Every structure is written in structure tokens, then in C-alpha cells.
Amino acid sequence: MSVSEDPVKVERTVFVGSDSEQYHSIQDALNATGPRTMILVSSGNYSSFVIRNPNIVIAAKEPEDKVLVMAERDSAVIVDFQGEGSVLLDNIKFGHTYLEVPHAFHQGVGLVEHKKLMKGEQHSFHYPSRLYQPNRNRASVLRVIRGNVRAENCLFSFRPLGKETDGCTVAVVIESGGKASLIRCEISGHITYSTIGVILQYGKLKLEDSKIVGHLGGGASICLKEPGSFEAIGCVFSKNRHFGLQICGPGVSKAINCRFFGNQGDGVQLGLAAQTLLQGCKIEGNQEGVNMASCDAQIRRNKIANNSKNGVKSTTLMGLINESMVGLNTISRNGENGVRIEGLNNFTRVIGNTNVKLNGACGISIGTNADCVVKNNKIYYNAFQGVCVEEGAVCSLIENNVLRNMKANVALGGKGSSSSVLLKNKLAEGVAEGLYVLESGNLIAYGNKIIRNYDGAVFEASDVDFRFNKVSENTMNGVTLITASQATLSHNIIEDNEGAGLIIKNKSKPKMSKNTIQNNEINIFCDYLAANEEIIASSQPLSGRNLFIQDAFCTIF
């Protein structure tokens, strides 16, 4: 980021405080001096001020001094200067005692709709940072209009007086001409009043080791466009209502080693062209852990757990492309799915996640119209399916370990489903089917190991190309074809299953060649005459005990 972190160069020092000091207010000291000035402030309560010159330091005189700057109507501190240089604020508490009702805070949204939005009754993706009107919404604690400010060890908070209002006020506002770094700061809301912690509107902001807590309107809302940028390192976003952190727009954005917990809304919202890197974070106890729509986000090496809905939810808005990547995370114990992907033009990739486990529904759930890649994940002990690919979705499942899920390890299909690929997966030790396919066309399954499940693979009313798979040691049957399934079975090893190796029922008609079907209780069971004749006439070798039912009689080989 280009937010300057160089120390401010000063040439003079002045003092603000009691009668013995040079100035009695911070604004008086600013008016009487110019750039390259350090203003040291003694303990006490002070009124708001505006900084119009660069290279200013305003700090508590001594580390133990308690300096409180309070505002009633306008911002506690406004930074508005042009040119090079920066401002440093150190060890000061900034507060606001009045929450105005901002007129049309959400452009075109009336007060009734605003109330609904604050209560969570509208779509979760509203963007305060896009709709914020700087000329009409001026009640904030820190407002950076132009210039570069660095704040260290500061508190930005609300201490409203009087009756509750229906407004939503912002603690820290960085406008398009502003740059800010907040280091070891806290930005706190109020238990009654609707506030938002941070709005970044096209400017540049860095948060480091800071806290954004207790905002009923949301934690930090970031709207970017180049060259704007946002970075959060080692920060805490907690107990905010609608979201912990929300980012939209194509500028550079990162959240590294942060914690998002206890937010009543989503921990992280990423949408509308966001190019966010979310890495090394703990995202726990929120509604959705990460909720992303039509963006190009990178969700890497995070712990995403104990969220009440999905660990990660990926959607699209208005059919705009989502090309995000979810990789190398631990995603566990979420109330619904570990990962949920849905929507037209959703090409999200789920790669290399080591622990997608113990979620309340599916490990990975892929909804209608999505087209995604799921590769090299370990998915186990989920309450429903390990991977569920719903009607109309397309998925490439490659080299995953899908184990011990409470329903089918992998289930896919439904009307209109086609062209999914299963390649070199291990589907094992499930209490139901290793693989269940319903009404799916043109499914390709090559080189998978389907072992030690209750049932191996079940195909219902499906067209499947099933080759080079090993289906063995399942408690019941190896491969089951029912309801007029059309399957190509070639070069598979189907052995050591406790029931039948291959079951063909309900007018299913496979094409079979060069399979090894052996050491099952019954190797092949077939109840359809046309299929019987084709199997007998094919090059498929028949050995062991087989049962072919032909109307009123059966043929046993």
C-alpha cells in the first residue's frame, strides 16, 4: 500500500492543556502554528478540531495522560489537506455524543426500508460504503477527506446522549481523496444505536492490530476502485450486527491473520468484483463465515468453524461471474454446509482443503447452475453428503478423499444434470452409498476407489461412463444400476463385496467389457432379459456365482 508510514518530521513543539500551557484547545494550537509541529496534549476533555496542514503530530503529553476529544454534531476530527506529508494522532480517545439521523443514508431508500435493512429483513448484500454521501452524512468520529493520517493507540467510539434515533452513523470515514493507517486502535459502537465502524469510499486504508467491535450497522464497509486499496493485518472484527468486514470493488484488498467472531451477520462479505485475499484468519461464530458474490476472492489457510449457517457461501449477483478460490482451509462444525456454491456463472474452485468435516449438512454443496472444480480435499464426518451436486449443476471432482459421511459420500444428479466428472477420488467408509447418481446424463467416473461403504455405487436413471474404478469391500453391493440406467462399465475391478458385485434392475442396460467381477457373494445379478442377452453375448468374462432372472425363470452361471 502507498499509505505513508514514514515518521512525521517536526521542527517545533507546543503544548495544550491547563492554564499553564500555551493553548487551551487543540484547534487554537493548530490555528496558531503550521506544518512540522508537534502538539502535546495534557489530560482533559477537548472539543473537535480540523487539520488543514500536513506534517502535524497530535499526541498525549505523557503515556498515562487521558486525552478525550468529543464531538456533538460534526466529526471529532476532520483531516483535509492537499500535498505531501502526513498527520500522526497518538494515544487519544475520540468520541461522539450525538447520533444524527442521516438523510437518505442509503440513496433512494426510505426510512422504513432503512429500518428493515438494519433489522436484517433485506438482502444481506447491501453496501453502505457505495451509498454513503459525504456531503450529507457528516456525523462521524474521524473523517478523512483529503490527506494522509496515521493513528496509533487511539479509541474511536460513540457515547450518545438523549433518546434513541433511527439513524446510522459512521465512526471512521475515509473518502476518495483520503489515506489512513490505524495501528493498535479500537473502533467501538454502541449497544443501542445503529453505527458502522468504518466506511472506506475509494480511498486507501490500512488497519493493523486494531479492533472493530459492537456496531449494529456493520463492522467495516469497504468500497474500492483503483488505485484505492485496503489491508487489515492482525485485526479483530467482533460483535457487529450485519457483517464484520464487507468489501466490494476491484481495488487491492487483503485481510491477513485477522479474527472474525461473534458477528450476528456474516463474518466476511465479499462481492461485486472484489479481489480480496483472505488468509490465515479465524472465522468463527458468525452467521455465514464467508459470504462472497460475483467476485475473484482467494480464501486461503483460514480456520472457518462454528458459524450458524455455511462456512463459505459462494453466489452470483445478476449472473455476474464468480471465479473465487477456496483453498487450504479447515472448514468444520458449521451449522449448514462447509462450502455452499450456487448460481449461474459461478466457477468457484475448492482446492486442497484439509479438513472439511463435522458440518451440519454437507461438506461441499453445489447448487443449480454452478460449474465448479473440487480438487484434492479431505471431506469427512459431515451430517449429510460429503459432496452433493444438485440438479442442473456441473462439477469436476478430482483426487478428493471423501470419507465417513452420514449419507452418500458423493451424491449428484437431478433433471438436467450432465457432464460432471469424477476422477481419482477415494470414496470410503460411508454409512450409506460411496457414490449415488440420480438422473444424470454423461457422467464420467474414471479411476476412483469406492471401498468399505455400505453400498458402493448406485446409478438411478442415469447415463454413466464408469471405467477403471475399484469397487470393493462394501457391506452390501458393489455397483447397482436401477430405473433404466444406461451405463458403460469397462476395466473396473468389482470384488470382495459382501452382497452382489453388480446389480442390474428395472430395465437398466449396461454396456460391459473387460471388468473384473469376482469374489462377491453373487458376482452379477440381472432381472432384465435384454440386458441378460447382451451381457451373455459380450466379451465380459463371467465367473463365480451369477444370477440372471428371465421372466419366470433364471439362468445361473
mmCIF file of all heavy atoms in Angstrom, residues 106-132:
data_model
loop_
_atom_site.group_PDB
_atom_site.id
_atom_site.type_symbol
_atom_site.label_atom_id
_atom_site.label_comp_id
_atom_site.label_asym_id
_atom_site.label_seq_id
_atom_site.Cartn_x
_atom_site.Cartn_y
_atom_site.Cartn_z
ATOM 1 N N HIS A 106 -28.965 5.513 2.695
ATOM 2 C CA HIS A 106 -28.948 4.627 1.534
ATOM 3 C C HIS A 106 -29.717 5.327 0.440
ATOM 4 O O HIS A 106 -30.921 5.503 0.528
ATOM 5 C CB HIS A 106 -29.583 3.280 1.864
ATOM 6 C CG HIS A 106 -28.875 2.578 2.962
ATOM 7 N ND1 HIS A 106 -27.750 1.820 2.747
ATOM 8 C CD2 HIS A 106 -29.108 2.545 4.297
ATOM 9 C CE1 HIS A 106 -27.333 1.329 3.893
ATOM 10 N NE2 HIS A 106 -28.128 1.758 4.845
ATOM 11 N N GLN A 107 -29.027 5.743 -0.574
ATOM 12 C CA GLN A 107 -29.601 6.579 -1.611
ATOM 13 C C GLN A 107 -30.836 5.913 -2.200
ATOM 14 O O GLN A 107 -30.803 4.770 -2.644
ATOM 15 C CB GLN A 107 -28.571 6.826 -2.712
ATOM 16 C CG GLN A 107 -29.009 7.866 -3.722
ATOM 17 C CD GLN A 107 -27.880 8.170 -4.686
ATOM 18 O OE1 GLN A 107 -26.915 7.441 -4.749
ATOM 19 N NE2 GLN A 107 -28.010 9.243 -5.407
ATOM 20 N N GLY A 108 -31.962 6.632 -2.193
ATOM 21 C CA GLY A 108 -33.180 6.079 -2.743
ATOM 22 C C GLY A 108 -33.893 5.129 -1.805
ATOM 23 O O GLY A 108 -34.881 4.516 -2.175
ATOM 24 N N VAL A 109 -33.426 4.967 -0.583
ATOM 25 C CA VAL A 109 -34.051 4.065 0.380
ATOM 26 C C VAL A 109 -34.694 4.911 1.469
ATOM 27 O O VAL A 109 -34.040 5.714 2.119
ATOM 28 C CB VAL A 109 -33.013 3.112 1.002
ATOM 29 C CG1 VAL A 109 -33.661 2.240 2.062
ATOM 30 C CG2 VAL A 109 -32.393 2.258 -0.085
ATOM 31 N N GLY A 110 -35.991 4.733 1.663
ATOM 32 C CA GLY A 110 -36.701 5.486 2.671
ATOM 33 C C GLY A 110 -36.432 4.978 4.075
ATOM 34 O O GLY A 110 -35.762 3.968 4.284
ATOM 35 N N LEU A 111 -36.993 5.661 5.065
ATOM 36 C CA LEU A 111 -36.720 5.325 6.455
ATOM 37 C C LEU A 111 -37.248 3.942 6.813
ATOM 38 O O LEU A 111 -36.610 3.193 7.552
ATOM 39 C CB LEU A 111 -37.337 6.383 7.360
ATOM 40 C CG LEU A 111 -37.052 6.256 8.863
ATOM 41 C CD1 LEU A 111 -35.556 6.277 9.113
ATOM 42 C CD2 LEU A 111 -37.744 7.370 9.628
ATOM 43 N N VAL A 112 -38.429 3.582 6.266
ATOM 44 C CA VAL A 112 -38.993 2.265 6.566
ATOM 45 C C VAL A 112 -38.076 1.161 6.048
ATOM 46 O O VAL A 112 -37.756 0.201 6.749
ATOM 47 C CB VAL A 112 -40.400 2.124 5.949
ATOM 48 C CG1 VAL A 112 -40.897 0.687 6.124
ATOM 49 C CG2 VAL A 112 -41.363 3.099 6.604
ATOM 50 N N GLU A 113 -37.594 1.326 4.803
ATOM 51 C CA GLU A 113 -36.677 0.337 4.241
ATOM 52 C C GLU A 113 -35.366 0.320 5.006
ATOM 53 O O GLU A 113 -34.758 -0.726 5.211
ATOM 54 C CB GLU A 113 -36.421 0.630 2.759
ATOM 55 C CG GLU A 113 -37.609 0.326 1.852
ATOM 56 C CD GLU A 113 -38.697 1.375 1.911
ATOM 57 O OE1 GLU A 113 -38.469 2.451 2.506
ATOM 58 O OE2 GLU A 113 -39.793 1.117 1.380
ATOM 59 N N HIS A 114 -34.929 1.510 5.458
ATOM 60 C CA HIS A 114 -33.688 1.567 6.236
ATOM 61 C C HIS A 114 -33.835 0.780 7.537
ATOM 62 O O HIS A 114 -32.938 0.035 7.935
ATOM 63 C CB HIS A 114 -33.341 3.018 6.532
ATOM 64 C CG HIS A 114 -32.149 3.181 7.417
ATOM 65 N ND1 HIS A 114 -30.871 3.051 6.938
ATOM 66 C CD2 HIS A 114 -32.053 3.424 8.747
ATOM 67 C CE1 HIS A 114 -30.025 3.226 7.934
ATOM 68 N NE2 HIS A 114 -30.718 3.455 9.044
ATOM 69 N N LYS A 115 -34.987 0.904 8.192
ATOM 70 C CA LYS A 115 -35.227 0.160 9.424
ATOM 71 C C LYS A 115 -35.197 -1.340 9.157
ATOM 72 O O LYS A 115 -34.634 -2.119 9.926
ATOM 73 C CB LYS A 115 -36.568 0.558 10.027
ATOM 74 C CG LYS A 115 -36.597 1.955 10.629
ATOM 75 C CD LYS A 115 -37.978 2.237 11.202
ATOM 76 C CE LYS A 115 -38.061 3.615 11.817
ATOM 77 N NZ LYS A 115 -39.414 3.898 12.340
ATOM 78 N N LYS A 116 -35.836 -1.769 8.049
ATOM 79 C CA LYS A 116 -35.832 -3.186 7.713
ATOM 80 C C LYS A 116 -34.414 -3.674 7.477
ATOM 81 O O LYS A 116 -34.029 -4.766 7.891
ATOM 82 C CB LYS A 116 -36.674 -3.440 6.456
ATOM 83 C CG LYS A 116 -38.166 -3.310 6.662
ATOM 84 C CD LYS A 116 -38.903 -3.621 5.373
ATOM 85 C CE LYS A 116 -40.403 -3.527 5.553
ATOM 86 N NZ LYS A 116 -41.114 -3.817 4.287
ATOM 87 N N LEU A 117 -33.620 -2.865 6.793
ATOM 88 C CA LEU A 117 -32.254 -3.257 6.498
ATOM 89 C C LEU A 117 -31.448 -3.410 7.778
ATOM 90 O O LEU A 117 -30.697 -4.356 7.953
ATOM 91 C CB LEU A 117 -31.633 -2.209 5.581
ATOM 92 C CG LEU A 117 -30.260 -2.534 5.030
ATOM 93 C CD1 LEU A 117 -30.249 -2.252 3.533
ATOM 94 C CD2 LEU A 117 -29.225 -1.665 5.703
ATOM 95 N N MET A 118 -31.659 -2.484 8.719
ATOM 96 C CA MET A 118 -30.945 -2.572 9.997
ATOM 97 C C MET A 118 -31.388 -3.790 10.807
ATOM 98 O O MET A 118 -30.654 -4.326 11.610
ATOM 99 C CB MET A 118 -31.167 -1.305 10.815
ATOM 100 C CG MET A 118 -30.436 -0.089 10.268
ATOM 101 S SD MET A 118 -28.639 -0.267 10.298
ATOM 102 C CE MET A 118 -28.283 -0.602 8.593
ATOM 103 N N LYS A 119 -32.642 -4.244 10.583
ATOM 104 C CA LYS A 119 -33.136 -5.421 11.292
ATOM 105 C C LYS A 119 -32.789 -6.716 10.560
ATOM 106 O O LYS A 119 -33.160 -7.801 10.998
ATOM 107 C CB LYS A 119 -34.653 -5.330 11.456
ATOM 108 C CG LYS A 119 -35.101 -4.211 12.393
ATOM 109 C CD LYS A 119 -36.616 -4.147 12.471
ATOM 110 C CE LYS A 119 -37.073 -3.031 13.388
ATOM 111 N NZ LYS A 119 -38.563 -2.933 13.434
ATOM 112 N N GLY A 120 -32.130 -6.612 9.425
ATOM 113 C CA GLY A 120 -31.739 -7.812 8.701
ATOM 114 C C GLY A 120 -32.848 -8.414 7.872
ATOM 115 O O GLY A 120 -32.822 -9.589 7.536
ATOM 116 N N GLU A 121 -33.874 -7.616 7.479
ATOM 117 C CA GLU A 121 -35.007 -8.150 6.750
ATOM 118 C C GLU A 121 -34.832 -8.021 5.243
ATOM 119 O O GLU A 121 -35.723 -8.386 4.487
ATOM 120 C CB GLU A 121 -36.283 -7.437 7.191
ATOM 121 C CG GLU A 121 -36.609 -7.679 8.663
ATOM 122 C CD GLU A 121 -37.797 -6.869 9.128
ATOM 123 O OE1 GLU A 121 -38.435 -6.214 8.283
ATOM 124 O OE2 GLU A 121 -38.091 -6.900 10.332
ATOM 125 N N GLN A 122 -33.726 -7.469 4.769
ATOM 126 C CA GLN A 122 -33.486 -7.358 3.346
ATOM 127 C C GLN A 122 -32.260 -8.177 2.973
ATOM 128 O O GLN A 122 -31.628 -8.806 3.815
ATOM 129 C CB GLN A 122 -33.305 -5.888 2.946
ATOM 130 C CG GLN A 122 -34.600 -5.076 3.121
ATOM 131 C CD GLN A 122 -34.513 -3.715 2.463
ATOM 132 O OE1 GLN A 122 -33.472 -3.309 1.966
ATOM 133 N NE2 GLN A 122 -35.624 -3.014 2.432
ATOM 134 N N HIS A 123 -31.942 -8.191 1.685
ATOM 135 C CA HIS A 123 -30.826 -8.995 1.190
ATOM 136 C C HIS A 123 -29.542 -8.646 1.931
ATOM 137 O O HIS A 123 -29.274 -7.489 2.244
ATOM 138 C CB HIS A 123 -30.644 -8.727 -0.314
ATOM 139 C CG HIS A 123 -29.755 -9.723 -0.983
ATOM 140 N ND1 HIS A 123 -28.387 -9.664 -0.895
ATOM 141 C CD2 HIS A 123 -30.057 -10.810 -1.716
ATOM 142 C CE1 HIS A 123 -27.865 -10.671 -1.570
ATOM 143 N NE2 HIS A 123 -28.845 -11.381 -2.077
ATOM 144 N N SER A 124 -28.747 -9.655 2.226
ATOM 145 C CA SER A 124 -27.561 -9.434 3.047
ATOM 146 C C SER A 124 -26.514 -8.558 2.365
ATOM 147 O O SER A 124 -25.689 -7.959 3.027
ATOM 148 C CB SER A 124 -26.930 -10.779 3.429
ATOM 149 O OG SER A 124 -26.548 -11.479 2.263
ATOM 150 N N PHE A 125 -26.548 -8.472 1.031
ATOM 151 C CA PHE A 125 -25.540 -7.682 0.329
ATOM 152 C C PHE A 125 -26.066 -6.278 0.052
ATOM 153 O O PHE A 125 -26.507 -5.964 -1.041
ATOM 154 C CB PHE A 125 -25.122 -8.377 -0.969
ATOM 155 C CG PHE A 125 -24.099 -9.448 -0.758
ATOM 156 C CD1 PHE A 125 -24.482 -10.740 -0.516
ATOM 157 C CD2 PHE A 125 -22.754 -9.155 -0.778
ATOM 158 C CE1 PHE A 125 -23.544 -11.731 -0.303
ATOM 159 C CE2 PHE A 125 -21.806 -10.135 -0.558
ATOM 160 C CZ PHE A 125 -22.207 -11.427 -0.327
ATOM 161 N N HIS A 126 -26.075 -5.427 1.059
ATOM 162 C CA HIS A 126 -26.225 -4.000 0.862
ATOM 163 C C HIS A 126 -24.867 -3.370 1.137
ATOM 164 O O HIS A 126 -24.087 -3.891 1.915
ATOM 165 C CB HIS A 126 -27.309 -3.417 1.775
ATOM 166 C CG HIS A 126 -27.013 -3.568 3.231
ATOM 167 N ND1 HIS A 126 -27.225 -4.743 3.914
ATOM 168 C CD2 HIS A 126 -26.504 -2.693 4.144
ATOM 169 C CE1 HIS A 126 -26.861 -4.594 5.182
ATOM 170 N NE2 HIS A 126 -26.419 -3.371 5.353
ATOM 171 N N TYR A 127 -24.579 -2.263 0.482
ATOM 172 C CA TYR A 127 -23.229 -1.710 0.520
ATOM 173 C C TYR A 127 -23.269 -0.273 1.014
ATOM 174 O O TYR A 127 -23.349 0.672 0.233
ATOM 175 C CB TYR A 127 -22.594 -1.772 -0.868
ATOM 176 C CG TYR A 127 -22.413 -3.169 -1.381
ATOM 177 C CD1 TYR A 127 -23.330 -3.727 -2.262
ATOM 178 C CD2 TYR A 127 -21.337 -3.942 -0.965
ATOM 179 C CE1 TYR A 127 -23.169 -5.022 -2.722
ATOM 180 C CE2 TYR A 127 -21.173 -5.238 -1.419
ATOM 181 C CZ TYR A 127 -22.088 -5.771 -2.299
ATOM 182 O OH TYR A 127 -21.933 -7.053 -2.747
ATOM 183 N N PRO A 128 -23.202 -0.057 2.335
ATOM 184 C CA PRO A 128 -23.186 1.318 2.843
ATOM 185 C C PRO A 128 -22.067 2.155 2.263
ATOM 186 O O PRO A 128 -22.234 3.352 2.029
ATOM 187 C CB PRO A 128 -23.000 1.117 4.359
ATOM 188 C CG PRO A 128 -23.523 -0.252 4.624
ATOM 189 C CD PRO A 128 -23.202 -1.062 3.401
ATOM 190 N N SER A 129 -20.903 1.546 2.003
ATOM 191 C CA SER A 129 -19.769 2.324 1.504
ATOM 192 C C SER A 129 -20.013 2.843 0.093
ATOM 193 O O SER A 129 -19.439 3.858 -0.298
ATOM 194 C CB SER A 129 -18.502 1.463 1.518
ATOM 195 O OG SER A 129 -18.711 0.246 0.836
ATOM 196 N N ARG A 130 -20.860 2.164 -0.684
ATOM 197 C CA ARG A 130 -21.157 2.666 -2.030
ATOM 198 C C ARG A 130 -22.190 3.777 -1.993
ATOM 199 O O ARG A 130 -22.182 4.683 -2.830
ATOM 200 C CB ARG A 130 -21.670 1.527 -2.921
ATOM 201 C CG ARG A 130 -20.653 0.413 -3.155
ATOM 202 C CD ARG A 130 -21.210 -0.629 -4.106
ATOM 203 N NE ARG A 130 -21.361 -0.082 -5.433
ATOM 204 C CZ ARG A 130 -22.205 -0.569 -6.340
ATOM 205 N NH1 ARG A 130 -22.981 -1.583 -6.050
ATOM 206 N NH2 ARG A 130 -22.282 -0.039 -7.544
ATOM 207 N N LEU A 131 -23.119 3.704 -1.021
ATOM 208 C CA LEU A 131 -24.229 4.640 -0.994
ATOM 209 C C LEU A 131 -23.986 5.836 -0.079
ATOM 210 O O LEU A 131 -24.769 6.769 -0.062
ATOM 211 C CB LEU A 131 -25.494 3.901 -0.529
ATOM 212 C CG LEU A 131 -25.893 2.701 -1.406
ATOM 213 C CD1 LEU A 131 -27.087 1.994 -0.803
ATOM 214 C CD2 LEU A 131 -26.186 3.136 -2.826
ATOM 215 N N TYR A 132 -22.906 5.801 0.662
ATOM 216 C CA TYR A 132 -22.599 6.896 1.580
ATOM 217 C C TYR A 132 -22.406 8.197 0.808
ATOM 218 O O TYR A 132 -21.710 8.240 -0.206
ATOM 219 C CB TYR A 132 -21.327 6.557 2.358
ATOM 220 C CG TYR A 132 -20.926 7.595 3.368
ATOM 221 C CD1 TYR A 132 -21.546 7.648 4.598
ATOM 222 C CD2 TYR A 132 -19.926 8.515 3.080
ATOM 223 C CE1 TYR A 132 -21.175 8.607 5.536
ATOM 224 C CE2 TYR A 132 -19.552 9.470 4.009
ATOM 225 C CZ TYR A 132 -20.184 9.515 5.241
ATOM 226 O OH TYR A 132 -19.811 10.450 6.161
#
